[in-house]
């Protein structure tokens, strides 16, 4: 990749590697009841304590019998219902009525679905000869006893919670939650709900970040809006660093107005100020703050959202002990021309649709980093790599659908 066009800019991939290399995952664990473990990160692998299914059972409503008897008239000698197995064995020319999920009795090797059976009182004849073993779900065919079900470092999804429950597992050991502090900086900021005032704007970043952070299991403190003032910033960062694993701030990291933030962070921690070759989100700060870490995001709300999603989320997930895989990208056709300068990786906000199997993406609106309304309408990033220039209508581009961490 050629970043010569804008020397001194750090490629986003490299920024991510640097972040993850520095963050050592938290080691402490806690044991939780299953229903409280959604989105938490497994601290140890899980092996199956049982077979799933536990025993051979029927995949159909029908009759369990011996395949070799299928041409004979068979006597129905009992039934096996889900949760109420047949107590006994079937012998030559015998069958039992069986329902889906019910255990296969000893002696039976096949289930014939009821549609292929003619019943006369307690006698049946088979109208369509089955294959040996048909319609039997075998013990352990879903999960075999002792097999690895989930590796350490896996974040538990709702499906994983269901899977663990199917194994009879009622509690799990997970890594502890992260402690995260957020604050926004800027003399111009007012909290939503305050009276509008000349020269002031409403603080969108703190509500945005605290909402996004509900999708990651963290204990959150919100330190509020901090004015562009040295003692106030020092006091906020000092409070935050004594408690938090991660402090996230917005604003004040671009050249010029960053002075106080830079000064305080240089005094309290070891922070690198990066210019990342991404758009939006060029100015970015990352480093040590006390025993924890600091992410300084640019103040424009779209820049805050995109840098949070692309750099902070992977950082937090890694710190939480999760083994993370790269974001999924899809191919799409550009529905119209897209403007782009070579030099930085663009995360343009787009709207992806699929019509008759063809992905098409269009811009979600104004691409300025202050325009949150376009990002709120978007459902994906149009990912345009650093070296790429403008895109013509009909050209193929990569898109990254938004995931639960940004919506
Ligand atoms: P900064 O990064 O502090 O230079 O801010 C860049 C731009 O983002 C300025 O126009 C700020 O007014 C705006 N901005 C900074 N913080 C926020 C915030 N919390 N909510 C909305 N806009 C912000
Ligand atoms: Mg500012």
């Amino acid at each position: 990749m050629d970043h010569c066009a804008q020397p001194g800019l750090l490629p986003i991939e490299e920024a991510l590697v640097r972040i993850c290399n520095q963050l050592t995952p938290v080691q402490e664990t806690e044991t939780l009841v299953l229903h409280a473990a959604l989105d938490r990160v497994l601290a140890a692998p899980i092996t199956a304590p049982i077979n799933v299914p536990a025993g051979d059972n029927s995949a159909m409503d029908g009759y369990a019998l011996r395949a070799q008897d299928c041409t004979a008239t068979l006597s129905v000698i009992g039934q096996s219902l889900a949760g109420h197995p047949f107590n006994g064995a079937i012998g030559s020319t015998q069958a039992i009525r069986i329902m889906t999920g019910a255990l296969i009795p000893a002696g039976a090797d096949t289930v014939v679905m009821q549609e292929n059976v003619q019943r006369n009182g307690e006698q049946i004849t088979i109208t369509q000869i089955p294959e040996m073993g048909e319609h039997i779900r075998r013990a352990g065919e879903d999960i075999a006893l002792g097999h690895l079900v989930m590796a350490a470092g896996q974040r538990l999804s709702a499906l994983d919670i269901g899977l663990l429950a199917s194994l009879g597992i009622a509690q799990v050991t997970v890594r502890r939650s992260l402690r995260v502090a957020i604050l926004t900086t800027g003399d111009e900021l007012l909290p939503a709900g305050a009276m509008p005032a000349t020269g002031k704007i409403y603080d969108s970043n703190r509500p945005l970040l605290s909402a996004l952070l509900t999708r990651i299991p963290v204990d959150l403190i919100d330190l509020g809006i901090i004015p562009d003032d040295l003692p106030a910033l020092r006091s906020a960062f000092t409070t935050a660093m004594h408690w938090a694993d991660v402090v996230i701030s917005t604003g004040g990291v671009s050249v010029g107005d960053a002075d106080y933030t830079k000064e305080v962070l240089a005094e309290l921690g070891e922070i690198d100020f990066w210019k990342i070759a991404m758009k939006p989100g060029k100015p970015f700060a990352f480093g040590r703050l006390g025993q924890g870490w600091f992410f300084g995001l640019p103040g424009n709300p779209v820049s805050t959202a995109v840098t949070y999603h692309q750099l902070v989320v992977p950082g937090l997930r890694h710190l939480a002990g999760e083994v993370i895989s790269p974001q999924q990208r899809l191919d799409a056709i550009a529905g119209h021309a897209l403007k782009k300068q070579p030099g930085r990786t663009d995360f343009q906000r787009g709207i992806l649709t699929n019509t008759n199997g063809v992905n098409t993406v269009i811009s979600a609106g104004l691409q300025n980093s202050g325009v949150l309304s376009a990002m709120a309408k978007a459902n994906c990033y149009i990912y345009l790599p650093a070296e790429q220039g403008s895109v013509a209508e009909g050209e193929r581009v990569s898109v990254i659908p938004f995931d639960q961490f940004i919506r």
Side-chain angles (χ1 to χ4, degrees), residues 29 76 83 109 128 130 139 151 180 275 306 339 349 354 358 385 387:
T29 63
V76 179
D109 56 28
Q128 194 169 324
V180 175
K275 284 187 180 152
V306 177
K339 266 209 215 146
R349 280 69 66 206
N354 183 289
V358 178
E387 65 276 18

Side-chain angles (χ1 to χ4, degrees), residues 209-223:
L209 286 175
S210 57
L212 289 172
L213 281 159
T214 61
R215 270 69 182 276
I216 294 188
V218 298
D219 299 326
L220 185 69
I221 53 168
D222 179 347
L223 292 168

Side-chain angles (χ1 to χ4, degrees), residues 64 77-80 84-91 94-96 103-108:
I77 61 164
Q79 63 176 12
S80 181
H84 302 280
F86 177 71
N87 284 323
I90 67 159
Q94 292 183 328
I96 60 147
L103 283 183
I104 306 293

Side-chain angles (χ1 to χ4, degrees), residues 364-388:
L366 281 179
Q367 293 293 326
N368 310 14
S369 55
V371 182
L372 200 51
S373 60
M375 185 159 188
K377 270 192 273 172
N379 62 6
C380 68
Y381 298 112
I382 309 172
Y383 173 86
L384 302 175
E387 65 276 18
Q388 157 108 50

